[in-house]
Amino acid sequence: MSQTDILYVSSAPENSFLAELSSGECSVRTVTSIDEAKQILARPNLPVMVIDGTPLALEFCDCLKETRPDCLASLIALVSDSRVKARLLENGVNPGLMLSPPFDAATLRSRLSACLDAGRLRMELAAYALDLEKNNDRMSHLLGMKDRFLSLATHDLRTPLTTMKLVGEMIEKQLVESSPPGIKRMLDILARNIAKIEVKVDELLLIARMDMEVSPLELQEINVNEIALDVIKIFFPGAISRGVELDAVFGGVARIQADARCLDQLMCELIASSLERLDTGDHVEVRISTEGEGVRISVTDDGPPMREGQAEQLMEGLLNESPTRQTRVSLYTAHVIAQRHGGRLEITSSESKGTTFSVWMPQQAATGESA
Amino acid sequence: MSKQIVITLPPVINRSEAEAFVRELHEAEAAPEAVIILDCRRVEYLNSRAVSALVESCKNLSCERRLRLVEPGDFMLKTLEVVGLLSLLDVYPSLAEAEVE
């Protein structure tokens, strides 16, 4: 069947013209039972199909309407009876491909030629689609592996690194005058190499961050407080080393529908935007509160306030999609994630109230994107 | 049996609570040879200053005076892991067991 170009379905096949067609460059298969026809319909690649006005052909047409309606438009019908024509038209058969007698090979050949090309193209497309599907599966698998690797690299790798750094500092602190001079040098080498790996982990984090802007959202019911607790602790090593105090205040149950990875990233960007402005002795407060039909995630710091109009300029730059500096990249990512969920980013800064980066997220994600 | 100092941590340690905790921890460190036990059973959140104090405490105390933590919750455990402290502290399932050793 793999080389069949034309499938002719009929209870009483008229073989004279088909025999002539078969002898040419295309092959014809005649089907005279509905079971055989149904088996062929189950295959992904179908040849050009020709029916006539016999009962089997009409039954086949009904069957086609049920199982492969996409093929009705390219079905060729050799009919003379007007009632049969009307029934085929009702089923969606293309009137341009309904041929009236005489059904000689020359007439058929001219009509079939375009159909055969289309049929071959359809078979090729089906094969490509199958390949594409396989490649998509493979790509999804690879993307999953990439996500798992990024997660491993950014979280699981960072934790032992922090321990190594801390232990190095502890050893250095307990060194005394009489300690062998080589130990201090080796500790310096250790610290430098740990710092290099930390840079690489940060680069991986950047890749994960870029992914957030394009990956489809996987919406689910999320406890924002739990995500916040998960995120805040990641910033403790940085906050401690900079001498910045990082507080968290939770105002009751805060549940929204969102993509967990995106929300995680959004909070990271807000806290990172705040922390990088601060110095020893400064204070940051992460606050989660319900507001209207949603939840507000605010990060407020008491670092130096922005100059007058800077917060507005920053927002304008983000809305115009022109982030330039690091803070803007972080905030732009937060802005994109909030927007994808139907939420919004806000920035305020004043001497008395400090600087706040906040995002309001709706309880039900107002997004046109599919989950 | 050496002297033991038990510090009970509140459920939430933010700026104001951290100050009291750090002071209490420093006082306990200053007591010579005393074993410091931190009762963490109620802790839901502790801020970076409190964690920083634990880090400093670990650096300051000798190997024989490792801090003892009683029933730290999920957040505290994960936080200590992230800052690299978990393997440098002793965790106990109950106050009684922390006091016995």
Side-chain angles (χ1 to χ4, degrees), chain B residues 26-59:
Chain B
H26 284 166
E27 283 170 9
E29 275 176 41
E33 307 296 318
V35 172
I36 304 171
I37 299 173
L38 303 177
D39 185 348
C40 312
R41 284 177 290 185
R42 291 192 299 153
V43 176
E44 290 165 12
Y45 178 79
L46 74 168
N47 76 354
S48 59
R49 190 170 172 214
V51 177
S52 175
L54 291 174
V55 172
E56 286 308 312
S57 200
C58 279
K59 288 182 186 173

Side-chain angles (χ1 to χ4, degrees), chain A residues 159 163 169 245-248, chain B residues 14-15 45 47-48 59 81 84:
Chain A
T159 302
T163 306
E169 287 169 6
E245 196 165 0
L246 182 50
D247 281 0
Chain B
N14 270 328
R15 200 170 209 180
Y45 178 79
N47 76 354
S48 59
K59 288 182 186 173
E81 191 185 0

Side-chain angles (χ1 to χ4, degrees), chain A residues 287-306:
Chain A
R287 182 178 287 268
I288 312 293
S289 53
T290 52
E291 184 184 304
E293 293 292 302
V295 168
R296 183 166 291 281
I297 304 156
S298 309
V299 180
T300 302
D301 65 64
D302 61 1
M306 293 179 181

Side-chain angles (χ1 to χ4, degrees), chain A residues 159 162-163 166-167 169-170 173-174 229-230 232-234 236-237 239-240 244-250 281 283 302, chain B residues 12 14-15 18 44-49 51-52 55-56 58-61 75 78-79 81-85 87-88:
Chain A
T159 302
T162 314
T163 306
L166 186 60
V167 169
E169 287 169 6
M170 288 169 74
K173 192 159 186 171
Q174 289 180 17
L229 281 172
D230 258 0
I232 290 169
K233 66 177 187 297
I234 297 168
F236 274 19
I240 291 169
V244 172
E245 196 165 0
L246 182 50
D247 281 0
V249 178
F250 302 101
H283 174 255
D302 61 1
Chain B
V12 175
N14 270 328
R15 200 170 209 180
E44 290 165 12
Y45 178 79
L46 74 168
N47 76 354
S48 59
R49 190 170 172 214
V51 177
S52 175
V55 172
E56 286 308 312
C58 279
K59 288 182 186 173
N60 295 336
L61 295 172
F75 172 76
K78 284 182 180 165
T79 300
E81 191 185 0
V82 166
V83 298
L85 263 191
S87 53
L88 306 172

Side-chain angles (χ1 to χ4, degrees), chain A residues 13-30:
Chain A
E14 167 54 65
N15 284 321
S16 59
F17 59 90
L18 290 170
E20 198 179 324
L21 282 176
S22 297
S23 62
E25 57 187 24
C26 58
S27 65
V28 180
R29 175 172 174 180
T30 304

